[in-house]
Amino acid sequence: MMASLLFPSTLRTLGAFVVVLGILVSVHEFGHYLAARWGKVFVEAFSIGFGRKLWSRRDRQGTEWRIGLLPLGGYVKLYGQEPPEEGSGLPSAEAEAKGAFYARPVGVRMVVVAAGPAANFLLAFFLFSGLFATVGKPSVAPVVTQVIPGSPAEKAGLAAGDEILAIGGTPVHDFADIQRAVTPRPDTPLDLEIRRHGATLSLHVTTGSREVRGERVGALGVAGGLMRYRRLGVGQAVAAGAAETWRVGAETLESIWLLLRGEGRRDEIGGPLRIAALSGQVAAAGLAELVSFIAVLSVNLGLINLLPIPVLDGGHLVFYALEALARRPVPKRLQEMGLKAGLLLIISLFIFATWNDLDSLGLFKWLSHLFG
């Protein structure tokens, strides 16, 4: 009985993970492909999936389009992606005529490399905009679902089900407005306007305070969670989609910065296993939630790829920027050393993220219980 219940859930998780990863990586690689075509770089192959070819077709430009056996991402193969050894290979003029990547101007190479992350940002923008125009922009309604015992909210008389209409005379439209009004006002008297059972009431509250990163911030002691959606017009949806893409990107960069400073939570670093688990959960919640999840991950993928780590797109951009400044390529020996260091760092991060994933899934607790 238990196996029959788990099997559909496992299939949904695996299926959602394949869809999410396939979309994210394929769009990223398609960005590289389009920029390569623009830069007159010959694209040898575009593959969705890895391993043995299940299907392939060669177009009029000579690019082979493939579907691989393992549907875990994909790749673009550019002709002449790695320059030949000194004194070997095609002459520069002939290499450029044949569309070799290394023979293109450094500016073109930078555009081709940056186009992958740019495609991820554009994907997020279009997904957010489309969601806001069709399903609606989600927000947490300013409705109290829980009052913390002993909190300023309880002392002021707030109760579950109350809708907060205004704080200190400023209208409240969603739960985030409550946080924005209270956070910068620790230990401050405020007037609240609420709606309770259809009647409008006024309450007086003195906020509490707590310390966050060495700074005192205001606290009210209420929780929300009632979601609502407001469909936007096309123009509003486009503007809101751009703003949401920017917001997700800013929050991602802030999280990375806090981790680098040692102030972030390291257990929040997740890898493929956590993404797979979350993919299954949001897929069960509905199509809109899955699309929103893909958009958020797309921004994350774009930003992570722009980190100045050799092996990633950002590392290659650093090499090309140095080449543009020095007017000659970075010495191959230095590039190889950087790529090895970058690969070691990526492997280390992957192992650490996988460890966190296994811990969050309860594997180590299960093993501890199993072996006593």
Side-chain angles (χ1 to χ4, degrees):
M1 178 67 176
M2 182 62 70
S4 63
L5 291 174
L6 289 175
F7 187 65
S9 176
T10 303
L11 280 181
R12 182 180 62 237
T13 297
L14 291 175
F17 178 61
V18 168
V19 169
V20 169
L21 190 64
I23 291 174
L24 292 175
V25 177
S26 296
V27 167
H28 181 94
E29 297 301 324
F30 196 65
H32 290 312
Y33 167 80
L34 289 178
R37 289 292 307 276
W38 165 83
K40 298 180 181 179
V41 176
F42 175 58
V43 182
E44 294 188 70
F46 187 108
S47 178
I48 298 177
F50 298 93
R52 187 169 65 86
K53 288 186 289 186
L54 298 179
W55 175 88
S56 68
R57 174 183 171 273
R58 196 172 295 277
D59 63 21
R60 288 183 297 178
Q61 286 74 36
T63 301
E64 182 184 11
W65 296 80
R66 307 171 183 167
I67 295 179
L69 179 63
L70 299 175
L72 299 176
Y75 63 90
V76 164
K77 184 179 180 183
L78 305 179
Y79 172 67
Q81 200 157 351
E82 295 297 329
E85 295 294 334
E86 193 74 25
S88 64
L90 293 168
S92 180
E94 188 177 350
E96 185 170 358
K98 289 180 175 291
F101 177 74
Y102 74 85
R104 301 301 295 145
V106 66
V108 171
R109 282 178 277 147
M110 293 181 75
V111 170
V112 172
V113 170
N120 285 123
F121 299 141
L122 283 174
L123 172 64
F125 163 69
F126 284 121
L127 291 180
F128 281 134
S129 301
L131 275 177
F132 298 161
T134 54
V135 178
K137 185 179 180 182
S139 65
V140 180
V143 176
V144 177
T145 58
Q146 181 186 3
V147 177
I148 309 301
S151 66
E154 185 185 53
K155 294 174 183 176
L158 274 170
D162 290 346
E163 180 181 1
I164 299 177
L165 303 176
I167 299 178
T170 302
V172 169
H173 302 289
D174 55 35
F175 206 84
D177 286 341
I178 300 174
Q179 296 170 322
R180 281 190 283 267
V182 172
T183 299
R185 297 170 175 170
D187 305 313
T188 303
L190 291 173
D191 291 319
L192 304 183
E193 184 179 337
I194 68 169
R195 181 182 291 122
R196 178 183 294 170
H197 305 307
T200 301
L201 305 174
S202 294
L203 297 177
H204 186 75
V205 63
T206 298
T207 63
S209 63
R210 57 194 177 92
E211 189 170 320
V212 177
R213 299 173 196 160
E215 181 181 354
R216 303 300 293 176
V217 298
L220 189 58
V222 296
L226 183 63
M227 295 297 298
R228 66 182 179 190
Y229 294 84
R230 183 170 67 93
R231 189 177 297 177
L232 305 178
V234 175
Q236 289 179 311
V238 168
E244 187 68 9
T245 303
W246 179 271
R247 184 192 66 81
V248 173
E251 289 184 355
T252 302
L253 288 176
E254 182 182 10
S255 298
I256 294 173
W257 175 243
L258 289 175
L259 284 170
L260 292 175
R261 291 175 55 182
E263 298 178 9
R265 291 180 53 185
R266 291 176 175 81
D267 59 351
E268 292 181 348
I269 299 177
L273 294 178
R274 190 173 303 185
I275 293 175
L278 289 173
S279 299
Q281 293 171 15
V282 295
L287 179 61
E289 285 75 9
L290 181 61
V291 171
S292 181
F293 180 65
I294 293 173
V296 171
L297 283 184
S298 192
V299 175
N300 279 259
L301 179 61
L303 286 174
I304 289 172
N305 264 282
L306 285 176
L307 292 177
I309 300 173
V311 177
L312 299 180
D313 291 334
H316 291 295
L317 287 173
V318 170
F319 285 144
Y320 296 147
L322 292 174
E323 178 181 341
L325 290 172
R327 297 189 177 182
R328 64 173 182 270
V330 174
K332 195 160 188 178
R333 175 65 177 164
L334 186 59
Q335 290 189 46
E336 290 174 351
M337 291 173 59
L339 291 173
K340 288 178 182 178
L343 183 60
L344 181 62
L345 177 59
I346 294 298
I347 292 174
S348 300
L349 287 173
F350 177 80
I351 294 173
F352 181 73
T354 303
W355 179 277
N356 278 346
D357 291 350
L358 295 174
D359 185 41
S360 67
L361 293 172
L363 177 65
F364 301 126
K365 290 182 180 178
W366 178 77
L367 290 174
S368 177
H369 176 75
L370 181 66
F371 294 106

